[in-house]
Every structure is written in C-alpha cells, then in structure tokens.
Amino acid sequence: MQKLRFVWVLIVVWLASAVSPTKAAAGTIAFTSFHEGKTDIYVMQIGDTKLTNLTHSDGFTSSFPAWSPDGKRILFERQANLKPDPADSSNGHNQIYVMNADGSVQTNLTNDPNGDYYSPVWSPDGKKIAYVSNPAKSNTYNIYVMNIDGTDPKPLTNSDVNVYPSWSPNGEQIAFLSTQNNVANIYLIDANGTHVVQVTHNSDQNAVRNFPEWSPDGKRILFAGSENDNTDVFVINADGSNQIALTQSPEDEAFPHWSPDGSSILFQVNSRTQNGKAEIYLMNADGTNPVKVADGFGPAWVRE
C-alpha cells in the first residue's frame, strides 16, 4: 500500500508539471484581430475562447493595445482605413488613443493632422506615457514622453530610428530599439533622457533586435531577434549578459510580453506556411510548452 501511495504521488507531480500554460496561467489579455473582418482590439480570458470587441472600428484600424498599471484603461493606435472621417483632424495619420477597459470613452491623445505616433506604453505609476513620434511623415522616429492627457510631450532621443519603448518596473529606465550606424540593437535610456546604455551587441545590418519588454522583477528583457532570416524570442539580463533563445521554430515570432508574475510569456507568431497569418501563443518563461491562444497580433497582458 505504501508503495502504491508513493507511485500515485509521482503521477500527481508529473501531471502538475505537464499542465499547459493555458491552464496554469490566468488573467486577461488584449490583442489586435480581424475576427469580425476589421482591425479591432479584443480582450479575452486566458483559457477561454470568448472574445470581446472593444473598438468596433468603422473606417479605421485600431491596434497594439497597452494596459494601464491599474488595468482600468488601454492605450492603442488608430489609423484611417477605407472610410476615413473627414471631420477627424487626424485623418490618414497614425494617432495614439486611450479608452476605458470596457471600450468606452475613446479619446485621441495626439490629434496631429501631420504627424504619426506609435507604440504607447504607460509608466509604472500610470502618470506618463512613452511613445514614438514621427512628425510630418519624416524619416526620423524618436522616443517621447507625455502626460496621460496628451499634454507636455518631451523628446528622450533625437537621432536615428528609436522605436518600441518599454518602461522598467521601477520607472527609472526605458528600453528601446535604436538603429545606430544602420544596425538595430536594444538600448536603455534613463527616463529623463540621459545615460544611454547598449544592451545587445548585434553587428549584422541584416539582423534586428526588436520589441524589448522588461520582466516584472526588472532583471531581464525579452526581445525578438532575427538570425539567419528567421526571428525568434530571446531573453537577456538587463546588463546585457546571458542571452538565451526561447524559441527556435521555422516561423517568425514577435511582440513578446511577460505575464504579471513572470511565469509565462505571450508572443506573436507570423506563420510562413500560412502566408504570414498572425497567431498569439503562450509559453512558459523558459520557452517550453508553447500553446496557441488566439488569432491576432500585438498581445498585451493586464497587470491585475
């Protein structure tokens, strides 16, 4: 009897370790999908198939959501599509919007008839927004910070191409991609625009280090890195040491995001075998057990 009990315990332990991320992870995610034939932002519970459309875009594309730290609001991008509204002063340009978590009160924060704005992210205290500014469709893309109502925009960078900001959990630094000398790498900059530090050291002009995302404990950074004409998810220590590939598939992965507790990772898969179809996957933080959770791109996890 004692031996049987021991074997049963081993079976229980094995089953617990084999639970898929979709069952082990929990929480609400937002992402972009063509579920209803238009580019809209949806939310769903991990492990559930029910989708809720928050934006219901008509003549616009709404994409790349970013949750506020308290989970009550969502930043996103919006651009005129097939039926632009002549009354919208931002018609034809990519703008930054904010809405309540239920999709109500959608407000344009940038409202610039000439410029384009991308990749908004909240500061950890919810008092600032970092984003990418591309004034008058120029070739310059720089990281800016503004108040949450869109006022007082201030540049943090002023040269090259600087995109995809990610705020450190303590609010002191911002990770971003920069193409200095035509080579794309991940850098850190203090939140006041000083003290730039290079994290990755890619030297191949045909390769990219992209979409940085700080871990909840501030010790590591996720990113998508291209090697040999293929893009995978990597993790690296914030000081640039111990770079590890978490995915090694024939598909292209992008936009990795940590779960609030750091145990799981959401990421986007662009299928080469399905004409670039975008799907959202969930895997353990060590890269094991990837599971598809939805069709779409640009996933984000609410910090519940």
Side-chain angles (χ1 to χ4, degrees), residues 194-231:
T194 63
H195 193 219
V196 177
V197 177
Q198 186 172 346
V199 176
T200 63
H201 294 275
N202 167 47
S203 59
D204 184 355
Q205 292 187 356
N206 296 317
V208 176
R209 301 294 182 264
N210 215 346
F211 314 120
E213 165 86 354
W214 287 86
S215 63
D217 62 8
K219 295 180 179 179
R220 295 174 294 169
I221 297 174
L222 287 172
F223 67 93
S226 63
E227 299 287 349
N228 301 319
D229 195 35
N230 189 60
T231 303

Side-chain angles (χ1 to χ4, degrees), residues 99-237:
M99 62 183 169
N100 293 333
D102 62 0
S104 63
V105 194
Q106 299 180 18
T107 305
N108 188 339
L109 296 181
T110 47
N111 198 29
D112 181 354
N114 299 309
D116 289 273
Y117 304 89
Y118 308 91
S119 306
V121 288
W122 303 85
S123 63
D125 61 7
K127 295 181 179 180
K128 297 286 184 179
I129 296 169
Y131 63 100
V132 175
S133 174
N134 174 226
K137 291 188 179 295
S138 67
N139 292 324
T140 301
Y141 295 79
N142 279 294
I143 308 296
Y144 275 64
V145 171
M146 65 181 172
N147 295 329
I148 59 174
D149 61 358
T151 61
D152 196 25
K154 295 180 179 178
L156 297 188
T157 63
N158 58 13
S159 64
D160 301 300
V161 174
N162 304 284
V163 293
Y164 298 115
S166 174
W167 227 301
S168 65
N170 62 13
E172 295 180 358
Q173 292 178 297
I174 292 174
F176 63 103
L177 174 150
S178 183
T179 56
Q180 299 185 22
N181 300 317
N182 295 318
V183 178
N185 276 294
I186 304 298
Y187 290 77
L188 306 181
I189 189 171
D190 287 353
N192 62 4
T194 63
H195 193 219
V196 177
V197 177
Q198 186 172 346
V199 176
T200 63
H201 294 275
N202 167 47
S203 59
D204 184 355
Q205 292 187 356
N206 296 317
V208 176
R209 301 294 182 264
N210 215 346
F211 314 120
E213 165 86 354
W214 287 86
S215 63
D217 62 8
K219 295 180 179 179
R220 295 174 294 169
I221 297 174
L222 287 172
F223 67 93
S226 63
E227 299 287 349
N228 301 319
D229 195 35
N230 189 60
T231 303
D232 286 295
V233 175
F234 289 78
V235 65
I236 193 170
N237 291 338

Side-chain angles (χ1 to χ4, degrees), residues 39-41 53-65 75-81 85 88 90-99 103 105-112 115-120:
T39 307
D40 278 305
I41 293 172
N53 187 339
L54 296 185
T55 49
H56 300 283
S57 299
D58 184 12
F60 295 90
T61 63
S62 298
S63 57
F64 298 108
L75 291 167
F76 64 101
E77 299 177 20
R78 174 167 284 171
Q79 185 176 36
N81 194 5
D85 181 2
D88 188 348
S90 64
N91 180 18
H93 289 265
N94 209 73
Q95 303 293 314
I96 293 173
Y97 278 69
V98 66
M99 62 183 169
V105 194
Q106 299 180 18
T107 305
N108 188 339
L109 296 181
T110 47
N111 198 29
D112 181 354
D116 289 273
Y117 304 89
Y118 308 91
S119 306

